[in-house]
Amino acid sequence: MADYYEVLGVDRDASADTIKKAFRKLARATHPDANPGDQEAEARFRDVAEAYEVLSDPDRRARYDRGESLDLGGFFQGTGSFDDLLRSVFGDSGLFGGGVRDVRDSRGRDIRVHLALDLEEAAFGTTRTVRFRAATACETCAGSGARSGTGTRLCNVCAGTGQVRMARRSAFGSLMTVTSCRACRGAGAVIAHPCASCAGGGMVEGEKQVSVEVPAGVGDESTLRMVGEGEAGPRGGQPGDLYVQLAVHPHPSFTRQGDDLLYELAVGIAAAALGTETDVPLLEGGSTRVKVSAGTQPGEVIRLRGKGVGRLRGRGRGDLFVRVGVDVPTRLNRSQKKILRRYAESRDEHVL
């Protein structure tokens, strides 16, 4: 007797839910419809189904664990018990889907667009409009797909069920396959008189524009999802979503570091040594006065709280860090050189 636990790839103490999940996965992979003409796959599918038939039933499983012999000879004779097994696991839609699905449940495609922002817009938020090409609801038929004054009729292929059942013979009996009806695409109904503008699809190609609220604090390469703003669904179906991919341009003066900003401030040698006050620009415009203490060394940082980027998922703003650099002159006149040489002598510094 085969090791049914090994066939399904589960432990001997596996729960009923684990066993069912293993069977679902293996049944889809080995089903004859997924492997046409492959006799090894058919045999493997039979083993998988037989293992599940035993292990899914508490009484059979207990007897199997005790080493008792089991008679499953009638399991593959005809379609009754076998179809009942598949239906109990996969439902009426079968292994590969295809159950009844109203066209109105069909969802429109998602759309992805790119939006470039300045650092100021990303930091403090903004409202922008994006335009893109997409299928939109047909105005002539209001998205129904039917000519004005007409509607739908019952599909004569599937008799309104949206499903087509087909029996096929395999090496281990007759199998019933359930698929979505191609004539009505699973809707169970067809349009008797299609709209001339959209040929019954309920959608036409066009341009769509959407106002996008960009929250403060968004980052480069972040994505905003706008539910229902994508492509229209067929025949009044649910629209897809719009995904706005953001790109933030570098700023000429500020470097962003999360919610904080970095500004490089250059001061002269004398200002760094003796101290000074100077204006530093702000990202939102204007400036603020900053004190550079006497003896400030190159690379020292002054922190200005609350002058950075708006926090995306919180209150307030980050900080502005001002990094001080010393501007060493490259060209001096005679008087300036004389003053610096005199200073160097007082410091006992050797200069050329």
Side-chain angles (χ1 to χ4, degrees), residues 34-86:
N35 303 273
D38 188 343
Q39 294 184 353
E40 291 186 6
E42 287 195 2
R44 173 67 173 155
F45 181 63
R46 178 184 180 120
D47 292 342
V48 168
E50 183 177 306
Y52 181 72
E53 173 71 5
V54 171
L55 299 183
S56 64
D57 183 278
D59 180 61
R60 286 198 189 103
R61 182 178 181 180
R63 291 168 56 195
Y64 171 74
D65 289 341
R66 291 194 297 267
E68 298 180 16
S69 60
L70 300 172
D71 182 13
L72 297 175
F75 180 57
F76 290 100
Q77 303 300 318
T79 62
S81 60
F82 189 70
D83 282 347
D84 289 341
L85 171 66
L86 294 181

Side-chain angles (χ1 to χ4, degrees), residues 6-223:
E6 184 177 337
V7 170
L8 293 181
V10 298
D11 297 331
R12 302 193 73 84
D13 59 351
S15 65
D17 186 56
T18 299
I19 291 173
K20 186 174 184 178
K21 288 180 179 178
F23 172 67
R24 288 174 65 94
K25 180 179 179 180
L26 291 171
R28 285 195 175 99
T30 60
H31 192 275
D33 285 352
N35 303 273
D38 188 343
Q39 294 184 353
E40 291 186 6
E42 287 195 2
R44 173 67 173 155
F45 181 63
R46 178 184 180 120
D47 292 342
V48 168
E50 183 177 306
Y52 181 72
E53 173 71 5
V54 171
L55 299 183
S56 64
D57 183 278
D59 180 61
R60 286 198 189 103
R61 182 178 181 180
R63 291 168 56 195
Y64 171 74
D65 289 341
R66 291 194 297 267
E68 298 180 16
S69 60
L70 300 172
D71 182 13
L72 297 175
F75 180 57
F76 290 100
Q77 303 300 318
T79 62
S81 60
F82 189 70
D83 282 347
D84 289 341
L85 171 66
L86 294 181
R87 194 173 293 110
S88 69
V89 177
F90 295 96
D92 290 334
S93 61
L95 275 77
F96 308 107
V100 177
R101 186 184 185 197
D102 195 303
V103 161
R104 289 172 296 179
D105 294 333
S106 298
R107 189 172 177 275
R109 290 189 307 117
D110 293 335
I111 300 292
R112 182 176 293 271
V113 297
H114 295 270
L115 178 61
L117 301 172
D118 293 331
L119 180 57
E120 294 90 336
E121 294 175 310
F124 308 122
T126 187
T127 300
R128 294 282 296 275
T129 298
V130 294
R131 294 177 175 83
F132 52 91
R133 301 287 298 179
T136 59
C138 175
E139 294 183 359
T140 304
C141 64
S144 69
R147 189 189 307 169
S148 178
T150 67
T152 61
R153 60 174 173 78
L154 199 68
C155 176
N156 56 17
V157 175
C158 64
T161 65
Q163 295 177 320
V164 176
R165 296 174 179 268
M166 295 182 294
R168 63 182 298 274
R169 297 194 62 81
S170 70
F172 45 87
S174 179
L175 294 179
M176 185 68 71
T177 301
V178 181
T179 60
S180 180
C181 177
R182 293 184 179 181
C184 63
R185 290 183 292 181
V190 294
I191 295 175
H193 303 286
C195 170
S197 299
C198 63
M203 303 181 298
V204 293
E205 187 72 17
E207 183 177 87
K208 186 174 181 179
Q209 67 177 37
V210 177
S211 179
V212 180
E213 294 287 339
V214 180
V218 295
D220 187 43
E221 296 187 357
S222 58
T223 300

Side-chain angles (χ1 to χ4, degrees), residues 205-285:
E205 187 72 17
E207 183 177 87
K208 186 174 181 179
Q209 67 177 37
V210 177
S211 179
V212 180
E213 294 287 339
V214 180
V218 295
D220 187 43
E221 296 187 357
S222 58
T223 300
L224 303 178
R225 179 189 178 194
M226 303 187 67
V227 177
E229 293 292 354
E231 190 169 81
R235 300 182 193 172
Q238 181 183 359
D241 297 336
L242 174 65
Y243 290 87
V244 183
Q245 181 83 46
L246 303 178
V248 182
H249 293 311
H251 195 278
S253 301
F254 299 96
T255 301
R256 181 174 178 177
Q257 299 175 336
D259 293 335
D260 300 324
L261 293 173
L262 175 65
Y263 177 77
E264 302 284 354
L265 174 65
V267 299
I269 295 176
L274 302 175
T276 187
E277 287 189 357
T278 185
D279 289 329
V280 170
L282 298 175
L283 183 61
E284 63 267 35

